[in-house]
Amino acid sequence: MTRRLVVALVLVAALAAACSTSDSVSQTAIAALSVKATTTTTPTSPTTVAPTCANPTASLAPQGALPAPGNMPAGSFMATIQKRGRLIVGVDQTTLLFGYLNPQDGQIEGFDIDMLRQVAKAIFGDDGQNENTRIQFVAISAAQRIPFVQNSQVDIVADTMTINCARDTQVDFSSVYYDAGQRILVPQNSSITSSADLGGKRVCAAAGSTSIDNVIDTAVTGAKSPAIPVSVDQWSDCLVALQSGTVDAISTDDTILAGLAVQDPLTTIVGPKFTDEPYGMAINQGHPEFVRFVNGVLAQMRSNGTWAAIWNRWLANAHLGPTPAPPVATYRD
Amino acid sequence: MVQSANPSLARRSRAHAAARIRGRLATTPGRMRTAGAAIVVGLLLLAVVGTGAVRARERATTAVGGQAEPLLLGAESLYSSLANADATATNTFLEAGLEPPARRQAYLNDLATAAAQLTKVAGQAGTAPAVTSALGVINKDLPIYSGMVESARANNLEGFPVGAAYLTEGSTLMQTQILPAAGTLYQVEAQRLNQAYDSGQSWLDVVGVLLAACVALALLVLAQGFVARRTNRLLNLPMLIASVLTLVVVAWTATAFTLSAQHLSDARHHGSDPIQLASSAQILVSRAQVDENLALVARGGDPQYLADFDAVVSALGSGSGSSGLVGLAGTYPGTDATNMASYYAGYLVAHKAVVAAESGGMFTAAVALATGDSSGDELPAAAQLTGDLSNEILMSQAAFTGKSVAASNDLSALSLGVIGLLIVAGALALVGMEQRINEYR
């Protein structure tokens, strides 16, 4: 009887030892490691059925001559920017040739960046080429372009952004500053030769881009079945995916693909352009005077050779053909 | 002996024999023999319970000092070297051109430490499902991570922005897969250590020994009372000595258990506790650095990193360094609490300067602040804090080793002593009883 009692007691003791609450200091130390931020989800623009509109690329016409740099008209958004002392721009920092962070000198540069520097120069008389004093870069993903403009987190976005009817209802666009078209980047030994071969293939594109909508639309690609879209944050993530073999192809604008192909000589761009992608700079709908101002800057760049000079600086060696004529601006008023 | 083929005769003779035994037991010498046997059984019970408890204590003490703590340290070292490697890698990426050789070396050293600790932990951590799956994740993803960092570096050298993509993907892999797995290992080992401490300090096994001792002593006392009544002799020296020896066993066990538990408690509160606090603080400082680096890389495009920084800092403590992990880590004697608090405060001030510079459009200045390339040095404040925390870990390790060895020494010879003394006590009890029985002849 006594032994049974002792055995029972020993069992209870063992159980109690196993279950007894552990040291509180140790628990504090361990619990601290699982601390998490209250998740803030970046608002993304709702995907809507593409509305139709007459001519989304028609922008607001410039009014009269550009104001002198450093002398922005009172009450205009440009005056606000001038007073602040810097233009806040939303850009891509991963797209070689258009907007990318050069790892060797730490500068963000490219075709889109030079376009924005011209806008800064028109406001301040100084494009901040050597010091980033006149431009503040905010690196955003394709999906962040519209919300960042709508929430006024940036003054303007120049980020290989296609003008279309759906986006035109959410932001204002400048006149077209580049005419791109969607093509396909594949490894050199790939069997894909045009958009018609994309059916059933894993095709990478950035989330929130027009390219990702196009690859699953057989009416656009001409393929028998839709491609399997793989969406990532940034265009260079697509190259990582292609190099690791998790996708069969990357499909987006020829401009972006040209920059990716430069970074991997074992890839090649195939097929003709199967879409038209007119690029515009996005501006908050509350600043029509700024849209007109930017269009004035673009008109000046088209006529005085600056546009061609910037094209030559970035794209002359990108296998995109001879220097094209700047896109013709169309206006709705 | 009765020899009979007749079953009824045999039954009768067995009944007769049983009656004879009952009769013999009912006599005084018979009762004395029974009492002697009962005492031996009681002492045997005490020996079994006592040595069982001592063995359990020894096992727990060895588990604490010889297995659980080294494993926890290994898991901690694995975790913090991985976190630190990622902080260094993402920091390097902020700067243009080739990274400084010292920083590259620091990254490689951290990876080497992680690999060594991984082997050590994998060899000893056992086969619990949580452990094996965590080890599987680290073994699978760590080579991918280091491959991505090398791809990032090669592309950076070429001037290609895809390097940035490799680095962010690598860091994401580290932060979402590898580090959580390392955290699981660390947590499992901490629980293992805490359980070893609890079983090494359990007071219930002392109660078990005391109960068994009470039974044995009660039998001894009752037997002596019975013998005294029957023989009118007050004292039976051998039985008295047996009782005293039993008391000695109880006192020795209780004393050794108490001392050992106290030493274990010291090892826990002056060793393991500060080690875990300082380790967790180090790991969180690394995570805060990764957050800040990636926030700068995103140039304001991704608010999640600064949100995570704020969450991490709230766990580390307020700017005064008087609360949170940094505050707690500073409460231990011998720690450099004042300096730790001021380094931590300095780190937070420098972080504010980085954020202010970045959101004010002075990106280059922000990077210089974050990488410690300017006066106002952020990395030094963080590095000094990390250095102080490392010192605290080393110091606490020494305290731990001293106390856990003492806890083991408290129990040395106890097991043999208990058995030896109880054998002597049992023999003496039988001798004492036999003396009185012989007087009946």
Side-chain angles (χ1 to χ4, degrees):
Chain A
M1 194 59 203
T2 315
R3 177 175 292 204
R4 207 173 283 167
L5 185 69
V6 169
V7 168
L9 274 171
V10 169
L11 275 179
V12 167
L15 272 178
C19 306
S20 68
T21 50
S22 309
D23 185 9
S24 68
V25 175
S26 161
Q27 288 197 331
T28 309
I30 289 166
L33 291 175
S34 33
V35 63
K36 275 203 178 65
T38 43
T39 43
T40 50
T41 45
T42 331
T44 48
S45 50
T47 45
T48 49
V49 180
T52 50
C53 57
N55 188 4
T57 55
S59 185
L60 298 170
Q63 283 177 336
L66 283 174
N71 195 13
M72 294 298 111
S76 69
F77 187 56
M78 293 82 81
T80 310
I81 297 170
Q82 189 191 331
K83 196 172 165 215
R84 184 203 293 142
R86 59 185 197 277
L87 178 69
I88 302 178
V89 300
V91 297
D92 189 354
Q93 62 170 350
T94 70
T95 302
L96 191 65
L97 308 180
F98 271 76
Y100 75 104
L101 179 79
N102 183 335
Q104 288 173 337
D105 60 14
Q107 297 293 313
I108 291 188
E109 50 194 45
F111 185 93
D112 280 343
I113 310 303
D114 279 1
M115 291 282 136
L116 291 168
R117 287 197 189 279
Q118 292 300 316
V119 175
K121 191 176 180 181
I123 297 173
F124 302 107
D126 163 12
D127 68 359
Q129 184 66 53
N130 297 317
E131 281 298 319
N132 288 328
T133 47
R134 291 306 187 201
I135 292 193
Q136 177 182 347
F137 293 105
V138 177
I140 54 177
S141 64
Q144 287 174 317
R145 292 176 299 196
I146 286 172
F148 267 59
V149 168
Q150 284 181 320
N151 303 332
S152 295
Q153 284 161 284
V154 294
D155 301 333
I156 185 169
V157 161
D159 181 358
T160 60
M161 188 169 183
T162 303
I163 304 171
N164 63 25
C165 289
R167 290 172 176 172
D168 204 35
T169 62
Q170 298 171 307
V171 296
D172 269 349
F173 280 105
S174 71
S175 60
V176 178
Y177 71 90
Y178 193 94
D179 267 320
Q182 188 161 350
R183 295 182 70 190
I184 303 158
L185 183 79
V186 290
Q188 276 176 350
N189 57 5
S190 171
S191 61
I192 299 169
T193 56
S194 76
S195 61
D197 299 330
L198 290 180
K201 302 285 187 194
R202 296 165 300 172
V203 179
C204 185
S209 67
T210 50
S211 315
I212 195 111
D213 299 330
N214 290 338
V215 296
I216 52 175
D217 190 342
T218 48
V220 175
T221 57
K224 287 198 186 76
S225 57
I228 303 161
V230 177
S231 70
V232 294
D233 262 0
Q234 311 279 0
W235 288 111
S236 45
D237 296 331
C238 275
L239 187 56
V240 172
L242 189 71
Q243 289 177 341
S244 63
T246 54
V247 298
D248 302 308
I250 304 170
S251 181
T252 182
D253 307 346
D254 52 350
T255 46
I256 298 170
L257 295 182
L260 295 178
V262 168
Q263 300 178 65
D264 186 347
L266 296 178
T267 60
T268 182
I269 300 173
V270 295
K273 283 185 189 180
F274 59 96
T275 65
D276 282 320
E277 309 288 339
Y279 289 168
M281 300 188 198
I283 292 166
N284 189 292
Q285 286 177 331
H287 310 304
E289 77 281 13
F290 187 44
V291 178
R292 292 180 196 281
F293 176 83
V294 170
N295 283 341
V297 176
L298 287 173
Q300 200 178 53
M301 288 164 64
R302 289 187 189 96
S303 58
N304 70 6
T306 311
W307 189 93
I310 293 174
W311 194 96
N312 283 330
R313 180 179 178 203
W314 294 107
L315 306 173
N317 298 321
H319 307 291
L320 290 169
T323 315
V328 177
T330 57
Y331 301 112
R332 61 176 182 257
D333 59 350
Chain B
M1 277 290 116
V2 184
Q3 297 195 352
S4 169
N6 187 331
S8 70
L9 252 182
R11 212 179 299 127
R12 209 181 307 150
S13 79
R14 269 207 294 282
H16 182 67
R20 216 168 48 200
I21 289 170
R22 268 202 298 279
R24 215 179 267 171
L25 278 179
T27 63
T28 300
R31 284 184 178 163
M32 283 178 176
R33 286 216 173 79
T34 312
I39 288 169
V40 169
V41 167
L43 290 174
L44 205 62
L45 175 69
L46 177 58
V48 168
V49 172
T51 50
V54 174
R55 286 273 158 73
R57 281 286 169 120
E58 282 173 344
R59 267 200 302 277
T61 313
T62 318
V64 167
Q67 294 149 15
E69 181 79 9
L71 259 182
L72 178 70
L73 285 173
E76 182 278 319
S77 173
L78 173 66
Y79 197 157
S80 63
S81 56
L82 287 173
N84 205 35
D86 201 40
T88 313
T90 50
N91 198 289
T92 298
F93 174 68
L94 275 177
E95 288 175 298
L98 256 184
E99 79 268 63
R103 199 172 297 163
R104 168 84 180 156
Q105 196 54 51
Y107 166 80
L108 292 175
N109 289 349
D110 278 330
L111 275 198
T113 308
Q117 297 299 341
L118 184 60
T119 317
K120 178 175 144 190
V121 173
Q124 301 170 21
T127 52
V131 171
T132 46
S133 83
L135 284 170
V137 168
I138 301 175
N139 274 320
K140 176 173 78 66
D141 286 345
L142 190 54
I144 302 180
Y145 170 80
S146 65
M148 283 187 168
V149 170
E150 293 315 306
S151 291
R153 192 162 176 265
N155 279 292
N156 269 2
L157 290 177
E158 298 266 9
F160 293 154
V162 70
Y166 272 109
L167 191 91
T168 0
E169 295 223 348
S171 186
T172 305
L173 184 69
M174 178 61 88
Q175 301 294 330
T176 62
Q177 303 293 324
I178 304 175
L179 284 182
T184 304
L185 282 182
Y186 180 63
Q187 212 163 335
V188 166
E189 295 314 329
Q191 274 162 1
R192 194 200 299 260
L193 177 62
N194 284 335
Q195 273 169 14
Y197 273 129
D198 288 341
S199 51
Q201 290 170 267
S202 162
W203 52 270
L204 283 161
D205 56 0
V206 181
V207 172
V209 173
L210 285 179
L211 278 178
C214 283
V215 171
L217 278 172
L219 288 171
L220 274 166
V221 169
L222 287 175
Q224 283 174 79
F226 168 73
V227 170
R229 276 198 306 278
R230 288 298 161 105
T231 62
N232 291 328
R233 294 226 209 159
L234 217 52
L235 271 183
N236 180 314
L237 196 60
M239 295 234 301
L240 190 64
I241 295 173
S243 309
V244 171
L245 286 181
T246 308
L247 276 175
V248 167
V249 164
V250 172
W252 186 3
T253 310
T255 313
F257 276 23
T258 311
L259 279 178
S260 165
Q262 186 55 47
H263 280 134
L264 274 189
S265 163
D266 286 349
R268 186 179 209 169
H269 296 118
H270 301 119
S272 303
D273 281 355
I275 288 173
Q276 290 183 45
L277 282 174
S279 304
S280 289
Q282 270 191 335
I283 288 163
L284 287 183
V285 169
S286 294
R287 183 163 139 194
Q289 287 177 292
V290 171
D291 283 335
E292 186 175 74
N293 295 339
L294 293 183
L296 278 177
V297 167
R299 298 198 183 215
D302 206 335
Q304 73 170 24
Y305 298 118
L306 287 182
D308 194 64
F309 184 98
D310 290 340
V312 166
V313 158
S314 72
L316 279 171
S318 65
S320 62
S322 61
S323 61
L325 287 190
V326 174
L328 279 175
T331 56
Y332 291 88
T335 52
D336 196 358
T338 321
N339 273 338
M340 270 195 327
S342 80
Y343 293 147
Y344 181 58
Y347 176 63
L348 293 186
V349 168
H351 169 74
K352 284 209 179 75
V354 169
V355 172
E358 198 278 330
S359 59
M362 292 175 289
F363 183 75
T364 321
V367 168
L369 281 171
T371 52
D373 290 350
S374 67
S375 56
D377 288 345
E378 169 149 18
L379 201 57
Q384 278 168 319
L385 177 60
T386 309
D388 267 11
L389 291 168
S390 293
N391 285 343
E392 179 165 359
I393 293 174
L394 282 179
M395 201 175 69
S396 310
Q397 257 176 278
F400 169 84
T401 310
K403 297 296 182 187
S404 70
V405 166
S408 279
N409 289 345
D410 293 331
L411 300 174
S412 64
L414 179 59
S415 180
L416 275 179
V418 166
I419 292 177
L421 288 179
L422 289 179
I423 286 175
V424 174
L428 285 173
L430 288 180
V431 167
M433 203 59 91
E434 200 60 24
Q435 281 177 355
R436 295 295 174 267
I437 292 169
N438 287 339
E439 284 162 5
Y440 276 82
R441 289 183 181 161

